[in-house]
Amino acid sequence: MSTDDLTEDLTRNTANAPPELLTRSFFFLCAVLSIFTTLAIIALLVTEAAKFFSVTAPLMGIEGETASVVEFLTGTEWIIGEGKFGVLALVTSTVMVTLGSAIIALPLGVATAIYLSEYADPQVRSLLKPALEILAGVPTVVYGFFALIYITPALRTVFPSIGTFNLLSASIVVGIMIIPMVASISEDAMSAVPDDLRQAGYGMGATKFEVSTGIVVPAALSGILSSFILALSRAIGETMAVTVAAGAQAKFHNPFNPAAYLDGGSPMTATMVNLLTGDITGGGLAYRSLFAIGLTLFVITFAMNVISELVAQRYREEY
Amino acid sequence: MSQENMSNDNVESPTEDPTDDDMLLETDVTSGLEEGTQGSRTTHERTIVEAKDVNVWYNQDQALRDITMQVPENKVTAMIGPSGCGKSTFLRCINRMNDMIDAARVEGELYLGEKNVYDDDVDPVALRRRVGMVFQKPNPFPKSIYDNVAYGLNIQDIGGDHDAIVEESLKRAALWDEVKDQLDESGLDLSGGQQQRLCIARAIAPDPEVILMDEPASALDPVATSKIEDLIDELAEDYTVIIVTHNMQQAARISDKTAVFLTGGELVEFGDTKKIFENPDNERVEDYITGKFG
């Protein structure tokens, strides 16, 4: 090979050859598309919600009925017929379902993860892990009917006064729904704990329980807490199950009053479904309230995801 | 040390059985290494760990063949040999860490004091509380330095002044001066050599009978290695140290007794370190020591 050939060969610039350029552009386009779609949805939420509030509606060219931001954020009654749009009546129900499902799902999910990661032999794990993931794949509306048809009647034997639609059965069913998520992510985090640490624990004469709870769980804390927050986000955003189980009667509750769980309520997501399926007129105030609720929901789940990221960083251990 | 704690001082311990006629395993009542750094520990030898015909299989593969040896108390016993010779496997038999490997099967008798640790009534957890272990790779817990050292005290419900025990253990591990102002900081923030000394402090805090070390310096730089070696030498004043190493110079420097394992899981020669390195009985050992193979 002459030196000219060699020089030419060495300066081919493969990085900008047509196939490279083409694939690079294609992947870039895909990435842009998904980000653009998300941003567009957020923009839509914000502009439509702006038409709802009296402060911003004139800017959007809306005349007629609007609602006050202050009343929306502080009001405790949600009665569309009377023009009462107090989102707290919806938020409290969402908080209750989230809280109730967390009480059920977080301990059970972590316990399941500990069992799968530390105790189950490989054969059992290879059966249980896919089973959990199937549980996560059941359509949520099925969970809703499960709550309505089985959980509520079962609860009635304990609490005769419980309503047909109630937040307790909604909490239970959402809890069941998010267990797989907590268990699966926590199990991944625990499995990622280096075996060196377990060996160290056993070498010190720790029992299996002491190694699992005293070494593996703290070492996997970042992943476990992330799973909690993701599961809570899921509970907040869960729609069909709560629409079926909790009812449509918007009602302000004290989330920390256990008796309130026996009553029905209308979480934010369920309210939106009911608004859409009801006979609301396009462009009317009730219609625009949908976006105001949607924006509230988005802000809450977005904040949860940011917190999740921060928590994961804070507790991340470098082994 | 707490010989009284684990067994009464029975003169007829199985180790001093005169019928044990294997030449290689004969333990001199007065050690050959009377000079040098180990000079102060040359009096009467008591056996603390004794293996009798220990065989280990991993599935069908035999990893150890008829290991019979007596490890003297308050000495440093080194186990050397090429990779795959079974020296680490033997170490892990002593505190039954091999129990956790499903494929591993151990036969034979292995005494700690006068109790065969493979007896059915021996609880491996209890055994490991009396036999500390230091691993090849430093593996402090993702906890504070203090909590790392106090770990054994906490899980064993050992009372007393934990602050004092932690301080004492860190001093013995030659780490106290470096970490005394940062006991609340994570053990993972230390350097590799410091982490390994932290692991040693953690191992000695509950005051075990024996400390097993599995190539404790192999992941460390020469300076950190030399600190660990000095430390092992000092530990032997109060503890029995059994150390696996692939570094023959290290074995020669720090041990009183040396066991040479060769490929196939055989214990080829066991005796005073000085004799093993200067005038081994076995030709294969001589070849190995002089670097002809392995």
Side-chain angles (χ1 to χ4, degrees):
Chain A
M1 196 182 268
S2 77
T3 47
D4 277 357
D5 288 345
L6 183 60
T7 304
E8 195 189 328
D9 201 42
L10 290 176
T11 55
R12 271 194 307 194
N13 193 2
T14 53
N16 286 317
E20 286 291 325
L21 266 180
L22 209 67
T23 46
R24 204 195 309 160
S25 319
F26 174 73
F27 290 129
F28 176 73
L29 219 66
C30 294
V32 166
L33 192 70
S34 62
I35 293 169
F36 174 78
T37 320
T38 314
L39 289 178
I41 291 173
I42 296 171
L44 180 87
L45 260 185
V46 173
T47 51
E48 289 295 316
K51 292 177 188 169
F52 175 74
F53 296 115
S54 45
V55 209
T56 48
L59 303 173
M60 310 298 296
I62 294 288
E63 286 162 23
E65 277 190 299
T66 52
S68 137
V69 181
V70 178
E71 270 173 36
F72 178 76
L73 292 177
T74 57
T76 55
E77 279 183 299
W78 185 273
I79 306 168
I80 294 174
E82 298 175 16
K84 287 182 177 162
F85 295 98
V87 82
L88 285 183
L90 315 179
V91 173
T92 49
S93 292
T94 297
V95 168
M96 287 172 75
V97 171
T98 307
L99 211 65
S101 62
I103 289 170
I104 292 163
L106 304 191
L108 269 176
V110 173
T112 308
I114 292 175
Y115 173 73
L116 284 177
S117 163
E118 305 301 312
Y119 285 86
D121 63 56
Q123 246 187 327
V124 175
R125 182 178 14 220
S126 70
L127 287 174
L128 277 184
K129 194 107 201 265
L132 263 183
E133 270 140 30
I134 289 171
L135 201 62
V138 174
T140 60
V141 67
V142 174
Y143 279 107
F145 284 106
F146 176 71
L148 194 62
I149 295 166
Y150 292 100
I151 299 179
T152 300
L155 289 173
R156 185 161 291 139
T157 61
V158 188
F159 309 106
S161 67
I162 201 166
T164 308
F165 300 103
N166 62 82
L167 291 164
L168 183 57
S169 75
S171 300
I172 292 172
V173 84
V174 172
I176 294 170
M177 209 184 304
I178 62 178
I179 286 173
M181 190 173 204
V182 177
S184 180
I185 298 175
S186 299
E187 200 263 338
D188 289 343
M190 290 180 202
S191 299
V193 172
D195 215 36
D196 289 356
L197 291 182
R198 293 185 187 87
Q199 295 267 320
Y202 290 125
M204 292 299 296
T207 62
K208 191 137 201 163
F209 176 76
E210 286 160 346
V211 169
S212 305
T213 57
I215 296 171
V216 176
V217 169
L221 200 60
S222 132
I224 294 171
L225 292 178
S226 295
S227 84
F228 285 2
I229 292 166
L230 287 174
L232 294 188
S233 298
R234 168 98 199 271
I236 292 170
E238 170 45 39
T239 306
M240 284 322 292
V242 295
T243 306
V244 175
Q249 197 68 47
K251 213 174 197 178
F252 178 82
H253 293 292
N254 172 5
F256 304 104
N257 171 18
Y261 281 81
L262 300 181
D263 208 348
S266 184
M268 288 187 276
T269 50
T271 310
M272 291 169 77
V273 172
N274 289 323
L275 272 170
L276 277 168
T277 51
D279 46 347
I280 51 169
T281 49
L285 191 60
Y287 169 80
R288 281 176 275 141
S289 76
L290 261 181
F291 294 93
I293 305 172
L295 186 64
T296 313
L297 199 55
F298 169 73
V299 170
I300 294 173
T301 44
F302 183 75
M304 295 288 284
N305 286 347
V306 171
I307 293 169
S308 151
E309 202 54 42
L310 293 177
V311 165
Q313 271 172 20
R314 166 66 183 79
Y315 288 98
R316 187 162 295 141
E317 291 289 355
E318 311 287 343
Y319 308 113
Chain B
M1 265 295 296
S2 46
Q3 176 76 12
E4 299 84 355
N5 294 350
M6 60 177 310
S7 65
N8 42 13
D9 279 7
N10 195 336
V11 189
E12 293 171 7
S13 84
T15 60
E16 287 160 40
D17 184 351
T19 60
D20 203 342
D21 59 357
D22 191 327
M23 198 182 72
L24 295 179
L25 302 174
E26 196 168 316
T27 39
D28 279 341
V29 175
T30 50
S31 168
L33 278 186
E34 60 268 48
E35 292 300 315
T37 51
Q38 284 98 7
S40 57
R41 305 192 301 270
T42 54
T43 46
H44 186 71
E45 272 183 16
R46 187 189 303 279
T47 298
I48 179 102
V49 174
E50 179 176 27
K52 282 184 180 168
D53 293 323
V54 170
N55 286 277
V56 177
W57 285 266
Y58 291 119
N59 290 326
Q60 305 304 317
D61 301 323
Q62 189 158 8
L64 284 178
R65 288 172 203 277
D66 297 329
I67 305 300
T68 299
M69 66 186 279
Q70 297 169 327
V71 177
E73 190 176 32
N74 288 13
K75 302 269 178 199
V76 179
T77 299
M79 300 199 285
I80 61 173
S83 298
C85 67
K87 55 193 191 298
S88 286
T89 298
F90 181 69
L91 194 76
R92 283 158 180 268
C93 285
I94 299 171
N95 65 346
R96 288 184 58 174
M97 287 293 273
N98 286 333
D99 285 19
M100 274 173 285
I101 303 167
D102 289 337
R105 185 159 56 86
V106 180
E107 282 179 10
E109 292 161 45
L110 209 160
Y111 292 90
L112 177 65
E114 290 172 19
K115 183 67 180 168
N116 179 4
V117 301
Y118 283 94
D119 277 348
D120 290 339
D121 59 351
V122 170
D123 178 4
V125 168
L127 169 67
R128 291 179 203 129
R129 293 180 174 192
R130 309 305 294 268
V131 181
M133 187 159 192
V134 177
F135 296 80
Q136 184 168 359
K137 194 174 153 240
N139 54 4
F141 299 128
K143 298 174 187 287
S144 71
I145 292 169
Y146 184 96
D147 287 343
N148 263 283
V149 181
Y151 185 78
L153 308 175
N154 290 330
I155 61 168
Q156 296 188 34
D157 278 332
I158 294 175
D161 183 352
H162 283 198
D163 289 354
I165 299 174
V166 167
E167 180 176 341
E168 174 66 18
S169 304
L170 284 168
K171 278 181 176 162
R172 279 168 175 260
L175 190 59
W176 174 252
D177 290 336
E178 291 159 63
V179 302
K180 62 184 174 200
D181 298 324
Q182 55 183 84
L183 294 177
D184 292 336
E185 288 172 30
S186 169
L188 294 168
D189 293 341
L190 300 174
S191 73
Q194 289 175 323
Q195 288 190 9
Q196 195 61 299
R197 279 179 280 147
L198 177 61
C199 292
I200 291 172
R202 179 177 70 187
I204 59 181
D207 199 25
E209 312 300 324
V210 178
I211 300 171
L212 309 177
M213 297 191 173
D214 191 356
E215 302 192 24
S218 68
L220 305 179
D221 65 66
V223 176
T225 299
S226 115
K227 281 189 183 164
I228 299 279
E229 287 182 6
D230 292 347
L231 175 56
I232 290 168
D233 191 46
E234 280 168 30
L235 286 178
E237 285 170 16
D238 299 299
Y239 298 98
T240 305
V241 178
I242 306 177
I243 177 169
V244 163
T245 175
H246 59 238
N247 180 333
M248 280 181 282
Q249 287 72 33
Q250 186 173 69
R253 278 195 299 268
I254 63 175
S255 69
D256 304 288
K257 295 272 183 179
T258 298
V260 184
F261 289 71
L262 290 179
T263 314
E266 283 175 81
L267 174 60
V268 184
E269 188 162 350
F270 176 52
D272 289 335
T273 298
K274 199 173 178 183
K275 175 157 188 337
I276 297 275
F277 279 92
E278 286 174 4
N279 184 24
D281 291 327
N282 188 299
E283 205 174 311
R284 289 166 69 200
V285 171
E286 187 161 11
D287 287 350
Y288 177 68
I289 301 268
T290 54
K292 282 187 190 158
F293 84 99

